[in-house]
Amino acid sequence: MKNTFGKNIIPTDEDKRLEEVYKYAELNGSPDAYFNEMAFIIAKCFSAPIALISLVGNEHVEFKGNFGLPQNTVDRGASLCSLAILDSEPTIFTDATKEPCLLTNPLVAGEFGLKFYAGAPITTKNGHHIGTVCVVDKHPRELKVEDIDLLKSFAGSVIRELEYRLILADATCE
């Protein structure tokens, strides 16, 4: 799969990664109250109008936590979260309109007008990046090192919550 701006967005471990995505959460497009509250806290910590907790599925990116965005899903090919799962470190675009690879992205070039994106991968204990914790803005901005560390910490909190839920679900099924 290629995204709308031409970069291959399929991780080399895609089959295993997708198994992990579906193991941790069903991609049904419904945000979760806990993760919505966490997205709200993230947005406030970063003074950002939008914060998302995403899971990157096969065709779509689902927002399990959503603050500031009217929809709860986006096509994977247009999502910057699909790029962020390709790396273990956070993906940051301080001004997406100055990134040649993003100039044709519909979220950047289109009506939405995305300018700033910072996403930290949500990484399972098996090392698969199943989604991101990200902040988005329609204005360019910079992040300090401590902001990047905070974003990574939020991603760590998300995977711990997902692990806890998985353990709880397994215990109730026995």
Side-chain angles (χ1 to χ4, degrees):
M1 172 186 288
K2 289 191 184 268
N3 60 20
T4 57
F5 38 98
K7 185 173 180 178
N8 189 353
I9 58 168
I10 300 298
T12 56
D13 63 348
E14 183 66 358
D15 290 339
K16 295 282 187 195
R17 193 194 70 75
L18 284 173
E19 284 177 26
E20 295 272 287
V21 169
Y22 296 118
K23 179 174 89 172
Y24 285 98
E26 196 170 307
L27 295 178
N28 61 11
S30 301
D32 174 286
Y34 174 84
F35 291 124
N36 274 344
E37 186 172 326
M38 189 176 226
F40 170 78
I41 293 167
I42 294 165
K44 294 305 172 192
C45 284
F46 286 90
S47 299
I50 300 168
L52 304 164
I53 297 168
S54 73
L55 295 176
V56 179
N58 189 41
E59 298 290 326
H60 296 92
V61 175
E62 305 284 342
F63 304 130
K64 300 318 272 178
N66 183 341
F67 178 80
L69 208 60
Q71 73 263 24
N72 293 315
T73 186
V74 66
D75 287 340
R76 182 174 175 177
S79 170
L80 274 62
C81 296
S82 294
L83 294 175
I85 66 165
L86 297 174
D87 198 344
S88 296
E89 289 300 313
T91 298
I92 301 167
F93 297 107
T94 58
D95 186 349
T97 63
K98 295 199 174 21
E99 297 290 333
C101 69
L102 298 179
L103 292 178
T104 60
N105 180 285
L107 298 175
V108 176
E111 185 178 316
F112 183 74
L114 183 149
K115 299 278 190 298
F116 172 81
Y117 174 91
I122 300 167
T123 306
T124 67
K125 63 184 175 187
N126 295 326
H128 301 290
H129 308 308
I130 61 171
T132 67
V133 170
C134 65
V135 290
V136 175
D137 202 336
K138 294 183 179 189
H139 303 283
R141 53 192 305 176
E142 300 287 331
L143 285 183
K144 298 176 186 168
V145 172
E146 55 266 22
D147 295 329
I148 297 168
D149 290 341
L150 182 59
L151 194 63
K152 290 162 60 171
S153 180
F154 279 124
S157 295
V158 168
I159 195 60
R160 282 188 295 281
E161 175 66 17
L162 290 172
E163 286 286 344
Y164 172 74
R165 291 177 181 200
L166 186 61
I167 290 167
L168 189 61
D170 287 346
T172 58
C173 291
E174 293 177 2

